[in-house]
Amino acid sequence: MKLRRIQAIAVKEALQIVRDPRSLMIALLVPLMQMVIFGYGVNLDIRHIPLCVLDHENGQQSRNLVARFAASNYFSLRRAAGSDREVAQALDEGDCGIALVIPADFSQRLNDGGRATVQALLDGTDSNTANIAAGYAKSVVAAFSAAAQLDAVQRRGGTLQTQTPVGVEARVWFNEALESRNFIVPGIVALVMAIVGAQLTSLTIAREWERGTMELLVSTPVQPMELMIGKLLPYFAVGLADAAICLGLAVFWFEVPFHGTVATLLFTSSLFLTVVLCIGYLVSVSIRSQVGASQVALLATMLPTTLLSGFSFPIEQMPAAVQAATFLVSARYYVEILKAVFLKGAGVVELAVPILCLALYAAVVVVLAARAFRKTLD
Amino acid sequence: MTPSAPIVEAREVSKRFGALVAVDRLSFAVPPGEIFGLVGPDGAGKTTTMRMLAGVMRPDGGQIVADGVDVLAHPEQAKRHISYMPQRFGLYEDLTVDENIRFYADLFDVPRDVRETRAAAMLAASDMLPFRKRLAGQLSGGMKQKLGLTCALVHTPKVVLLDEPTTGVDPLSRREFWQILYGLRAEGVALVISTAYLDEAERCDRLALLHGGRMVHCDTPAGLKARMPGAMLEVVSPEPRRARDALAGQPGVRGVLLIGIGLHVHVDAAGRSAGIAAALAAAGVPVSEIAEVAPSIEDLFVALLDNAETPA
């Protein structure tokens, strides 16, 4: 390997990048747009579930209960139904996600010290949302019950002796507000970088074939490894700029709490960038048309990263075979690293396992990419 | 090594693309200081031969040696002494003239001062000095080819392979181009050039006539002309097509080639002009002159290929 040849290729490639400002703009603007679209689009928090209420009693107590629902962040009162049919209609039409049916004897049963029941009807077509809505509803009702109980005791002149013997003081670490955005956005950074990184290099060899410059290039003494390193270096710089854009947006725009160090981020992002750039290069070597190479690179990075990196679907809940497949998805390690760096402030020591996996991955794709290039026309 | 020992040599080289045999057991040797021409119609195997000589395409059989190095066994070592200019312009159109030259010089590890001296001399010789900062994509066809040659020669090669280098090049640039080639020949470089221009073929020291991947003839241009049997008659006529039809099947006529002013008629022996004149007169074709002429390379080519195709 000769440094001079690597430098010659890198300078040539950099000149070509700079002379094509439109492509460069796309390379820098696309990640910005993707971050904003995904960042706002992917939101797993469930808030303001539309609520339909059928209050058969319409008394003081029942109105109190409804008021509690309406006051919570989780529900917003959409409809006050007058009949069961109206409730069914609201759920059928998808107008409401949950319906609350309060019986006519609600207050009476409550005041008798007996047990009062309310019915919650849920739209189960989105089972995840239904589950969460049911949970929220239970907690609203529980708070109402506790208050009612207290009220009843006080009215009888009793004192406050009603505390539950064991209480859970839940305190969430690392993502105190339980904002899904805080763990989704680092995953989106990985997704965007995987897509953009592979796109950057997917054209670099195909372009030489299409423009007819490859025939002359292979007739020179340049070695495949020199060609690869020289070609990847300028794109590495562009990729780092993209990483800075994505990570900067995550921290300053989406305000994801950042507890780690920039050095850890730079190191791990460089590793991941190496992997995705090499994947793009590998595709470029294998497919001689620019359009084809770009499509394959997009498919090879976007699908596995979206589905199998754990950025949106938890890996632990996948079937064993699919879980095994996720080990082949480089973004899986980077997503894990990013979440830990952002939310836990993890350093290289804590992240030794995913970093080593990513490094191993990088080593394999570097070798594959370098070997894939053959200096012949046939 | 004696001066006549070949610098580039092909031995029984073959290349197949599926069922098609592009190059069929081709052998030739080019000594230093010779311009060796490959001539033949499209599909004769010229470009494939060039690519195999350059080490960018692997033959299915045979051996290629360049400057004592086996090109098939050690292509990378051989490439250091070979300069190859593909048929299609292979430089970067979004780089300037200087940047292209520098890129190739660096790939061949040419020292900076050597690069500057050589590039300046070659650009001056081809009137390209004012365009050093211009993007290669904005050069004319002829200038592109001259830039290609400059890049190809910046590393002082011992073997120069040029695949149809002057296609689409204006006559003036072509003359400058050949001046550079003659200069290389004087330096002892072995040149292999393929061309579709037969007038250009006459400038070569030796010519190989390729047809269907095989070498039909190989000799100096004069030697090839001497091989042509019979004689060549030039018929000046305003109606060459009618004349051609009239001469078809006439005794002694081996081939007819349309030229600008009439026909070149290849006959089996001298003294056929009276018979030809009679035949044309019988057919009512107006003829202003019939004269025996020296065959051009084109005549030769047609005649020799006809001979090769129809085994006598």
Side-chain angles (χ1 to χ4, degrees):
Chain A
M1 277 220 289
K2 271 215 151 82
L3 201 63
R4 187 159 176 217
R5 285 202 284 255
I6 295 176
Q7 193 192 335
I9 303 265
V11 168
K12 173 225 125 193
E13 206 71 29
L15 281 172
Q16 290 187 305
I17 293 173
V18 176
R19 301 250 161 94
D20 188 5
R22 236 177 28 191
S23 301
L24 188 60
M25 282 297 281
I26 290 172
L28 295 175
L29 279 180
V30 163
L32 193 113
M33 282 164 50
Q34 284 177 332
M35 276 301 291
V36 171
I37 292 168
F38 288 134
Y40 282 112
V42 184
N43 187 353
L44 299 186
D45 286 333
I46 293 162
R47 299 269 159 84
H48 308 292
I49 305 159
L51 170 73
C52 168
V53 173
L54 173 57
D55 189 352
H56 286 299
E57 182 190 63
N58 202 11
Q60 178 71 37
Q61 301 272 36
S62 69
R63 280 202 297 267
N64 267 349
L65 179 63
V66 173
R68 271 182 182 269
F69 267 88
S72 87
N73 251 333
Y74 307 122
F75 302 101
S76 54
L77 188 58
R78 173 76 54 94
R79 244 199 225 198
S83 66
D84 288 329
R85 228 188 48 219
E86 244 181 278
V87 169
Q89 197 187 355
L91 286 174
D92 280 350
E93 287 171 356
D95 194 31
C96 293
I98 183 168
L100 191 68
V101 184
I102 304 174
D105 56 353
F106 181 67
S107 309
Q108 198 190 334
R109 277 179 169 238
L110 209 60
N111 292 336
D112 290 352
R115 287 178 50 82
T117 341
V118 292
Q119 187 183 29
L121 296 167
L122 293 142
D123 177 3
T125 45
D126 180 353
S127 62
N128 195 35
T129 307
N131 248 329
I132 292 168
Y136 288 157
K138 274 180 193 155
S139 68
V140 172
V141 171
F144 177 82
S145 303
Q149 208 170 2
L150 179 63
D151 197 37
V153 170
Q154 279 173 341
R155 237 182 295 155
R156 283 188 220 116
T159 47
L160 194 63
Q161 286 293 329
T162 52
Q163 269 186 343
T164 345
V166 181
V168 176
E169 255 317 275
R171 167 136 157 60
V172 180
W173 277 14
F174 308 131
N175 182 9
E176 288 84 352
L178 274 181
E179 287 262 3
S180 71
R181 176 181 287 169
N182 287 354
F183 73 86
I184 287 284
V185 168
I188 290 171
V189 172
L191 174 65
V192 171
M193 277 180 60
I195 296 173
V196 173
Q199 284 295 307
L200 283 178
T201 45
S202 68
L203 304 179
T204 179
I205 295 286
R207 195 191 298 129
E208 303 252 8
W209 284 115
E210 279 191 6
R211 296 191 185 169
T213 49
M214 189 51 96
E215 187 163 357
L216 196 52
L217 194 59
V218 296
S219 77
T220 71
V222 72
Q223 289 170 17
M225 195 60 148
E226 296 164 345
L227 184 68
M228 185 184 82
I229 297 173
K231 274 185 168 286
L232 291 191
L233 278 177
Y235 289 107
F236 193 81
V238 179
L240 277 184
D242 282 332
I245 290 174
C246 293
L247 294 166
L249 279 176
V251 175
F252 297 110
W253 184 259
F254 291 111
E255 296 180 326
V256 176
F258 179 67
H259 297 298
T261 64
V262 174
T264 316
L265 213 51
L266 184 67
F267 172 66
T268 52
S269 299
S270 301
L271 217 49
F272 183 62
L273 207 52
T274 309
V275 172
V276 290
L277 290 178
C278 283
I279 290 176
Y281 185 84
L282 196 59
V283 170
S284 196
V285 169
S286 322
I287 295 166
R288 288 190 182 180
S289 93
Q290 292 194 65
V291 178
S294 163
Q295 300 280 316
V296 170
L298 186 66
L299 247 122
T301 50
M302 195 163 93
L303 274 183
T305 306
T306 313
L307 300 175
L308 300 177
S309 72
F311 115 83
S312 54
F313 308 106
I315 293 173
E316 301 76 38
Q317 291 173 19
M318 296 173 182
V322 180
Q323 277 198 35
T326 64
F327 287 103
L328 295 173
V329 179
S330 58
R332 176 209 156 111
Y333 308 107
Y334 188 53
V335 168
E336 187 182 341
I337 291 169
L338 278 185
K339 283 180 183 173
V341 172
F342 264 88
L343 302 176
K344 297 186 198 172
V348 280
V349 181
E350 294 92 330
L351 294 170
V353 173
I355 286 178
L356 281 175
C357 289
L358 206 51
L360 186 72
Y361 206 111
V364 170
V365 283
V366 164
V367 172
L368 283 180
R371 287 179 149 225
F373 183 67
R374 295 256 163 271
K375 277 187 71 185
T376 55
L377 298 177
D378 35 12
Chain B
M1 207 157 76
T2 58
S4 59
I7 288 226
V8 58
E9 191 174 357
R11 296 180 195 136
E12 298 275 305
V13 172
S14 296
K15 179 73 183 177
R16 275 180 297 278
F17 296 110
L20 176 82
V21 181
V23 175
D24 191 7
R25 283 163 293 143
L26 189 64
S27 298
F28 60 86
V30 186
E34 183 179 85
I35 300 179
F36 186 79
L38 295 178
V39 218
D42 286 344
K46 303 190 295 283
T47 294
T48 306
T49 304
M50 284 291 186
R51 286 176 168 169
M52 291 191 289
L53 292 176
V56 299
M57 193 174 262
R58 288 191 69 82
D60 297 314
Q63 201 183 8
I64 297 168
V65 180
D67 196 32
V69 180
D70 185 332
V71 176
L72 302 188
H74 309 286
E76 298 312 303
Q77 202 188 328
K79 281 172 186 175
R80 274 184 244 157
H81 306 293
I82 299 175
S83 151
Y84 168 54
M85 214 177 120
Q87 191 170 355
R88 193 175 155 192
F89 181 69
L91 296 170
Y92 298 97
E93 305 214 340
D94 42 1
L95 261 57
T96 65
V97 169
D98 266 352
E99 286 162 354
N100 269 299
I101 294 171
R102 193 182 153 183
F103 179 62
Y104 281 94
D106 283 347
L107 289 189
F108 282 98
D109 215 15
V110 180
R112 184 184 298 251
D113 50 334
V114 175
R115 175 187 82 212
E116 276 311 305
T117 324
R118 275 188 77 84
M122 291 194 54
L123 290 175
S126 53
D127 279 334
M128 292 268 291
L129 278 179
F131 306 110
R132 297 184 72 157
K133 302 282 174 227
R134 188 178 283 197
L135 292 182
Q138 291 166 3
L139 298 174
S140 70
M143 286 203 279
K144 276 185 186 171
Q145 291 305 93
K146 289 189 283 188
L147 172 60
L149 193 62
T150 307
C151 287
L153 300 177
V154 76
H155 68 279
T156 346
K158 293 181 178 166
V159 177
V160 173
L161 310 170
L162 308 166
D163 193 5
E164 300 201 11
T166 56
T167 304
V169 173
D170 64 277
L172 189 69
S173 291
R174 248 160 100 178
R175 212 163 63 200
E176 284 167 351
F177 208 90
W178 274 92
Q179 287 309 319
I180 295 172
L181 300 191
Y182 289 141
L184 289 169
R185 180 173 67 179
E187 288 172 26
V189 173
L191 295 107
V192 182
I193 178 169
S194 77
T195 181
Y197 295 118
L198 293 163
D199 59 321
E200 207 163 74
E202 299 208 47
R203 296 171 181 255
C204 296
D205 297 315
R206 275 196 307 148
L207 283 176
L209 258 61
L210 299 188
H211 187 68
R214 271 179 322 208
M215 188 186 285
V216 183
H217 289 280
C218 181
D219 207 336
T220 61
L224 283 179
K225 285 178 187 172
R227 288 187 190 196
M228 196 176 105
M232 188 60 64
L233 296 176
E234 189 169 272
V235 177
V236 180
S237 163
E239 292 183 55
R241 281 171 204 283
R242 271 187 65 206
R244 180 185 59 187
D245 296 342
L247 290 179
Q250 285 295 316
V253 173
R254 288 191 158 184
V256 177
L257 185 70
L258 290 173
I259 59 166
I261 49 166
L263 301 174
H264 269 188
V265 184
H266 179 208
V267 290
D268 60 352
R272 286 276 188 191
S273 53
I276 297 288
L280 289 171
V285 179
V287 170
S288 53
E289 194 186 340
I290 297 180
E292 195 165 319
V293 291
S296 69
I297 284 285
E298 198 168 2
D299 296 325
L300 189 70
F301 194 65
V302 173
L304 291 176
L305 279 188
D306 280 349
N307 261 13
E309 268 171 16
T310 51

